[in-house]
């Protein structure tokens, strides 16, 4: 049986390539996870801000309508 010796340099290069690939995969997975979490948090914050803004606008509009309705009733009263 003819065994070929593997050089220490080849082993070192192979280990460095493996470490680089693993680090790249880990960094990519982490970045994707963080991006997804950030996007979800941002969407939730935007939805909350929008809902609060719409609720405030609606309350202001309703107050304006009530005020106008009260003025109309007072003006129409004998």
């Amino acid at each position: 049986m003819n065994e070929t010796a593997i050089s220490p340099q080849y082993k070192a290069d192979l280990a460095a390539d493996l470490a680089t690939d693993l680090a790249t995969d880990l960094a990519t997975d982490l970045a994707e996870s963080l991006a997804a979490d950030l996007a979800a948090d941002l969407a939730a914050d935007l939805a909350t801000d929008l809902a609060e803004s719409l609720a405030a606008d609606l309350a202001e509009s309703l107050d304006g309508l009530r005020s106008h309705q009260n003025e109309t009733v007072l003006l129409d009263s004998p």
Side-chain angles (χ1 to χ4, degrees):
M1 183 168 176
N2 185 5
E3 293 185 21
T4 304
I6 299 175
S7 75
Q9 183 60 45
Y10 177 76
K11 289 180 183 179
D13 290 345
L14 189 59
D17 288 346
L18 180 59
T20 300
D21 289 347
L22 288 173
T24 300
D25 290 346
L26 179 61
T28 300
D29 290 348
L30 181 59
E32 289 172 353
S33 177
L34 289 174
D37 290 347
L38 182 59
D41 288 347
L42 181 58
D45 289 348
L46 288 173
T48 300
D49 291 349
L50 179 60
E52 289 172 353
S53 177
L54 289 174
D57 289 349
L58 180 58
E60 186 178 322
S61 294
L62 288 175
D63 286 344
L65 286 173
R66 283 188 199 112
S67 176
H68 180 70
Q69 184 180 24
N70 288 340
E71 290 172 4
T72 303
V73 169
L74 291 176
L75 291 176
D76 291 342
S77 296

